[in-house]
């Protein structure tokens, strides 16, 4: 069974600090995808990134960067020079190919509430 | 592209009433998912469809919940009869291919009193 763990329930930082959100996953599949979503106070779920299990290259997008390490089953997310607008709940998620079906489900972690204070 | 469209945004109903949530996926997406978000259980998958066919409904809480997808551009999630414990935010999402990034709708906040 697949599982995603986000051990940090809440993180509070001051604007311009760097912050890393941890994500550890469990899966028995060799083909899977990892995701990060942002849920701002308005409630919608905003897709940030998708990474497949065969691509361990780190990715950078502006102030966001992601570190994928299969050896530790982790997919951590770093925000550099955080801003107040980054305040949100961030979810890590895992999708693996189902053994019985051709489709797949997305399993979410419990989320990390990030608060960036001015 | 208008994205995934859900209606209504908010629904308040009395216990025992029937509730119908609606979703229009992104055109061309062949996967549709219904998720529920609560404080206690987080985000959990209820059911998903591929090409309008239900693939996995193991997350549907009980027989009071039913979902349909009569065509590629419309899906409904129905709760009959509703109970206070069904209060949650219900998200619909669609995806172009399996394992691709999912696009979520804005959600329907359901309150059952």
């Amino acid at each position: 069974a697949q599982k995603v763990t986000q051990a940090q329930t809440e993180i509070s930082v001051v604007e311009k600090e760097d912050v890393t959100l941890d994500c550890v996953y469990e899966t028995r599949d060799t083909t899977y995808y990892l995701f990060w979503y942002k849920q701002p106070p308005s409630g919608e779920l905003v897709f940030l990134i998708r990474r497949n299990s065969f691509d361990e290259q780190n990715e950078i997008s502006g102030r966001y960067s992601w570190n994928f390490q299969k050896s530790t089953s982790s997919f951590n997310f770093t925000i550099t020079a955080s801003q107040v607008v980054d305040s949100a709940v961030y979810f890590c998620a895992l999708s693996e190919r189902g053994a019985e079906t051709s489709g797949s489900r997305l399993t979410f972690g419990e989320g990390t509430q990030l608060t960036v204070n001015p | 592209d208008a994205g995934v469209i859900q209606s209504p945004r908010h629904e308040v109903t009395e216990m025992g009433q029937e509730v119908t949530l609606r979703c229009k996926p992104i055109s061309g997406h062949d996967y549709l998912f219904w998720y529920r978000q609560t404080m206690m259980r987080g985000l959990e998958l209820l059911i998903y469809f591929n090409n309008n066919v239900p693939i996995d409904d193991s997350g549907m809480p009980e027989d009071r919940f039913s979902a349909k997808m009569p065509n590629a551009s419309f899906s409904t999630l129905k709760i009959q009869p509703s109970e206070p414990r069904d209060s949650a935010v219900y998200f619909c999402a669609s995806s172009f291919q399996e394992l691709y990034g999912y696009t979520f709708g804005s959600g329907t906040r359901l309150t059952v009193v």
Side-chain angles (χ1 to χ4, degrees), chain B residues 9-30:
Chain B
R9 287 297 307 272
H10 303 273
E11 177 80 33
V12 180
T13 190
E14 292 186 348
M15 183 174 63
Q17 296 297 307
E18 178 179 294
V19 175
T20 299
L21 311 182
R22 297 173 175 79
C23 175
K24 177 179 168 57
I26 292 174
S27 178
H29 281 193
D30 49 4

Side-chain angles (χ1 to χ4, degrees), chain B residues 5-48:
Chain B
I5 300 173
Q6 291 187 247
S7 65
R9 287 297 307 272
H10 303 273
E11 177 80 33
V12 180
T13 190
E14 292 186 348
M15 183 174 63
Q17 296 297 307
E18 178 179 294
V19 175
T20 299
L21 311 182
R22 297 173 175 79
C23 175
K24 177 179 168 57
I26 292 174
S27 178
H29 281 193
D30 49 4
Y31 284 87
L32 183 138
F33 305 82
W34 282 100
Y35 282 83
R36 179 171 68 175
Q37 185 178 32
T38 61
M39 289 295 293
M40 292 296 293
R41 301 174 66 90
L43 277 157
E44 53 182 342
L45 176 67
L46 300 178
I47 185 172
Y48 76 92

